[in-house]
């Protein structure tokens, strides 16, 4: 939009490499993506959980990868900041990953994060400890295939380590992170579902600054960001809070309207209709109509009363 | 889901023909549709404005009709109550309408509302008085084509009269409503953007109970529903309030998180992650896994530490 | 179309249970499906190889399952005879299969065939002997899930045994076929890539008429159908010949036109344009325009010269 | 693919500006596009008629614009030569055209041709003389909007003049062509459905070389290309012959197989299965598997017999 805007992938790369702690905010459709941008965040996390939930399906690859692609295309079209797509396992093997990278680049998506689970995946917060992970070599093949396929030098591939999630310890987490880094990953997302940041901080202590590390503190939400910064984390993802806040609001509004049967019950608590139009950039279209549409010839309509 | 559930189209037909005032609540994706159902509403309004806004595009047929169809399919899959699709002008001429009806029936959508504007449409709340309407005969042809195409006898086609919106008076509104009714419409949506219900009530006075009438009191929101009931209205649509409440919530949440840089700032105000899982019906899948998946053979994984 | 047409799924069921040898002909888009129907075939094989090839991708799940679904929807809309979809492995686990069944039923697809390979699959004619097959219990879970999910009692699920393809012998083929039959499969597709029917006939000898058997004689093409009939086979699939004949024709035509630079070179060898319109059923639309479109008011156009 | 390959849009621009007569060959899916490329054509015409026919629908905007977009994306992915999309009327007004241009650029489509008919369109070979054309100013607005929207300087917008098709004379054709050229069109497609090239040649005589002219000699097929070259035409489109040849072949093959019930009847006339694999570039995947997949550990499978 501005004259000298950085390409989105370059913007994401800079976030990863930034000296200060950076934040990505979750979005799940074009509208929420726009809201994240307007709140001044510098990047968007296109959450697999939130996209599937908003579609009305489960976070188990019930939506096809092209359905997810279409969602993220709408998100990308609506915004000028970079999007990191939560691409689950890559939706198949290395070959599916190659296709995905090309499709994401075309749509202006800045990067993707793939995780070392098996297809179809289960959400990390409900997966059990018994769940098998991807074979390390097979997953490294995916990362290599992704990096070899990108045509934009700045497209980012983040490798997500699920070792802690399924019950392994630090050694396994580090072993995987190192392998993925060696395979070419631009960053490591180290995931944990404890209510404290201990696993993540233990990992950071050993990892040092081998490459940028990304975290998702959904369950250890009470940890101050200062702790992450001091631990050496590069990027923090607020991974699902917009969706969750929209659920709270929509549940409240629908229950109220059902009970009270009048819009007066909610009108004051919700944005006006014209705010919807503003978010859709309706004014740009109005201006464009003046430029591109011939003046309406009212004689084409029969006379009004 | 229950053994003797009525088909969705029949449910919608009953709402239209009901003696008491009925309400449809707006939804724009699978998630919001599910929330409407859980609030005990008996039907859903799949709003064109809200679907386009949530996708991140404008309410001017920027999304293709098959993209809208996919949204409403997700909504239909997520719920057991009827959906009335706001189908704009029918996305083309009578032939496009025929295809649309068949596709909606396949996906379990109970009915559609088409309006007498021209393709591509402009939202009623921002369209100017100069905007031409559809030729009456041409629009009646669409209605006839819709009714002739349906295979499910209960599929509903509602004809939306935009005469008041573009500056015509009561006579034109009635003339159109009568023509549309004669062409086979199952109901008339009489639209007004005044802040008072005067146009709608004037219409009702003349219309009597020729056929069911639907209204959208977005701008005359302070009118008590009792007034609509006494006026003879059949169905009231709360047409965009879930989307608007979700915008309020997401804007608040994203601004707060950006400023405070800690999840503690919002955690208490938003539903927990497990509420997302509940809305996705994650438990059903867990139970199904026990039924359909062989027990995981942990010997396939190498030993844990 | 006719008054007392059988539902497509019932038609397919009857083909499977028929006393005489039946044939399915391959199609890969709406047009080829229509051509199969006009040639009097009683059913269509929606080939995974041919659909992917016509899209321009490989038979390795490069197209997403919803992209395949859209192709088969166009095919189903264009025809009144049953379609059996070659659904690869079911595009994931039992849960993906459940969704698939519901989506196919909505679109009027009569049945699907799933094979005991791993996702993403490799085409049987280029897969090597080393390729692992699905765990039998896991695959049986898919079949059970499919059968439990269908709402139309006649929807058919055929289980395809790939044991011969990857180098196993008769015992393994029979063991799998029996397990799949016990799990609820409506028929067994026993696949072989020998140039003679020996594997298939050996299987038939042991299998007897436990349940209907389907074969694909692409490589043992010189075996007379009489041999299959006597062996007890129920259905023969001509699995890719329409696509292959279209390739021959298009290669010839494009080479000729490139060289000779005149349409005279090909005009006599190809159907006229009006045959394209006939296949699209253009006449029906012309008739419908008379019914549903107001007569064109030529005064709306300025005078012609 | 080659190191110094020209961008597709630049390639198309060069064809338009070429001193010699150039040819575009029709394709309608990824496979036919690949065949055109292999026949050494320098560009592809993505025909609206042929795409709709192959989908199984009519050439009256029955397929949505995003369904067409998906077809042309597969075609673009499968080839390295430029594609000119037959984009009907642009699928709506100037605003729909703007979105279309951005989407085509993302998918690597080199240009589009829009025609001055009304949405939804009717095929030129079956449209009657009474059919109204687009208002000239409105259509010029579309062209301007297209040119203002492109981000790739070489993206081509061709304006198709339908004046001859609906019964107007040379003066109207020239008036429209000039207006469209002034509005920014990169070329004019002058369409005629006579069996002789008279209209087109009369147009060329007056038009001189104001800007490149494209023709579609489907009905005047017996005119030698030399005549077009001498008349000053830039590009000739063979607009539907691949589809028509595929229909001939598929009809013949399916009728034969139905009657003779043996593959021997057709095996010799059609390409072998391995030619399908070659067109899909199966070898590339095989090579990639060696690079990206870990060697299969056969110990994971139970012992074979």
């Amino acid at each position: 939009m501005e004259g000298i805007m950085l390409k989105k992938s370059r913007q994401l790369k800079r976030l990863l490499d930034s000296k200060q702690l950076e934040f990505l905010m979750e979005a799940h459709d074009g509208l929420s993506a726009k809201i994240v941008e307007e709140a001044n965040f510098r990047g968007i996390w296109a959450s697999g959980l939130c996209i599937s939930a908003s579609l009305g399906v489960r976070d188990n690859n019930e939506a096809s990868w092209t359905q997810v692609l279409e969602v993220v295309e709408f998100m990308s079209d609506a915004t000028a900041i970079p999007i990191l797509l939560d691409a689950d396992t890559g939706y198949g093997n290395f070959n599916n990953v190659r296709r995905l990278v090309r499709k994401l680049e075309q749509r202006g998506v800045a990067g993707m994060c793939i995780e070392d689970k098996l297809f179809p995946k289960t959400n990390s917060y409900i997966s059990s400890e018994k769940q098998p992970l991807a074979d390390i070599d097979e997953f490294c093949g995916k990362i290599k295939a992704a990096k070899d396929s990108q045509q934009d030098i700045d497209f980012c591939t983040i490798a997500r380590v699920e070792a802690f999630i399924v019950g392994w310890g630090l050694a396994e987490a580090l072993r995987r992170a190192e392998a993925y880094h060696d395979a070419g990953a631009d960053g490591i997302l180290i995931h944990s579902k404890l209510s404290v940041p201990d696993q993540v901080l233990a990992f950071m202590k050993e990892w040092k600054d081998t490459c940028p590390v990304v975290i998702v503190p959904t369950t250890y939400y009470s940890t101050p960001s200062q702790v992450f910064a001091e631990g050496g984390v590069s990027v923090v993802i607020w991974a699902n809070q917009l969706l969750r806040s929209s659920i709270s609001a929509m549940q409240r509004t629908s229950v109220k309207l059902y009970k009270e049967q009048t819009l007066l019950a909610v009108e004051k608590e919700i944005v006006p209709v014209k705010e919807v139009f503003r978010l859709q950039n309706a004014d740009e279209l109005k201006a464009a109509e003046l430029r591109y549409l011939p003046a309406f010839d009212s004689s084409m309509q029969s006379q009004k009363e």
Side-chain angles (χ1 to χ4, degrees), chain A:
Chain A
M1 320 245 164
E2 296 137 72
I4 45 162
M5 181 116 75
L6 273 183
K7 187 165 51 116
K8 291 174 177 181
S9 52
R10 177 66 60 89
Q11 290 180 51
L12 181 58
K13 197 77 156 183
R14 290 210 178 165
L15 285 191
L16 279 174
D17 295 341
S18 158
K19 294 291 173 204
Q20 69 184 66
L21 189 63
E22 301 285 351
F23 299 89
L24 298 182
M25 178 80 236
E26 169 261 320
H28 48 276
D29 55 18
L31 174 65
S32 51
K34 178 85 175 169
I35 288 173
V36 169
E37 182 178 51
E38 291 191 343
N40 290 316
F41 278 97
R42 299 174 60 193
I44 295 167
W45 171 249
S47 154
L49 169 62
C50 296
I51 288 173
S52 58
S54 74
L55 292 175
V57 294
R58 284 174 286 222
D59 191 19
N60 300 76
N61 299 115
E62 291 191 344
S64 77
W65 72 270
T66 49
Q67 290 177 319
V68 172
L69 183 69
E70 188 158 294
V71 171
V72 84
E73 179 171 353
F74 276 117
M75 293 172 63
S76 182
D77 286 353
T79 52
I81 56 173
I83 297 173
L84 178 63
L85 173 64
D86 172 9
D88 297 347
T89 60
Y91 315 115
N93 73 2
F94 81 92
N95 189 45
N96 302 276
V97 165
R98 297 196 301 176
R99 268 181 77 71
L100 179 63
V101 168
R102 286 192 295 263
K103 294 295 138 195
L104 292 176
E105 286 191 336
Q106 285 181 331
R107 281 134 177 97
V109 177
M112 65 168 186
C113 176
I114 53 176
E115 66 193 43
D116 55 0
K117 291 217 201 82
L118 301 179
F119 179 90
K121 61 153 298 185
T122 301
N123 185 278
S124 300
Y125 298 118
I126 48 179
S127 58
S128 64
E129 299 232 336
K130 300 169 314 190
Q131 201 179 332
L133 293 184
D135 171 77
I136 293 185
D137 286 344
E138 196 270 333
F139 195 70
C140 287
K142 278 188 188 177
I143 296 168
K144 277 179 209 146
K147 297 308 292 176
D148 289 351
S149 299
Q150 73 188 66
Q151 301 191 309
D152 170 0
I153 195 175
D154 291 313
F155 184 86
C156 296
T157 294
I158 308 292
R160 171 164 155 178
V161 175
E162 293 280 299
F164 289 141
I165 296 293
V166 298
W168 296 87
L170 180 59
E172 179 71 11
L174 283 165
R175 189 163 73 97
R176 287 178 172 265
E178 273 154 28
Y180 303 162
H181 172 59
D182 289 346
D186 299 291
I188 296 294
L189 190 158
I190 182 74
H191 204 18
S192 167
K193 55 181 181 182
L194 298 189
S195 59
V196 289
D198 300 12
Q199 288 177 326
V200 162
L201 294 177
F203 178 90
M204 292 310 301
K205 215 168 150 188
E206 299 296 323
W207 185 253
K208 306 218 167 70
D209 54 355
T210 316
C211 80
V213 172
V214 181
I215 62 168
V216 180
T218 300
T219 52
Y220 45 104
Y221 61 83
S222 54
T223 309
S225 288
Q226 188 57 24
V227 173
F228 305 141
E230 288 166 5
V233 168
S234 292
V235 176
V236 169
I237 296 177
W238 308 134
N240 43 53
Q241 289 75 22
L242 283 207
L243 184 88
R244 288 159 61 197
S245 73
S246 80
I247 292 173
S248 299
M250 293 193 293
Q251 287 179 332
R252 208 165 41 231
T253 300
S254 54
V255 166
K256 235 190 228 181
L257 274 175
Y258 179 76
K259 233 188 289 180
E260 309 202 14
Q261 300 198 345
T262 170
L263 292 176
L264 276 176
V266 303
E267 187 71 21
K268 294 290 147 53
E269 309 170 8
I270 63 183
V271 297
V273 174
K274 71 178 191 318
E275 174 67 359
V276 180
F277 296 139
R278 189 194 64 75
L279 283 159
Q280 291 175 302
N281 208 6
D283 282 350
E284 190 278 340
L285 181 55
K286 233 173 203 172
E289 286 173 351
L290 294 178
R291 215 170 330 132
Y292 297 119
L293 274 191
F296 171 61
D297 178 3
S298 60
S299 71
M300 280 176 65
Q301 286 279 106
S302 49
Q303 287 308 108
K304 302 201 179 182
E305 304 152 87

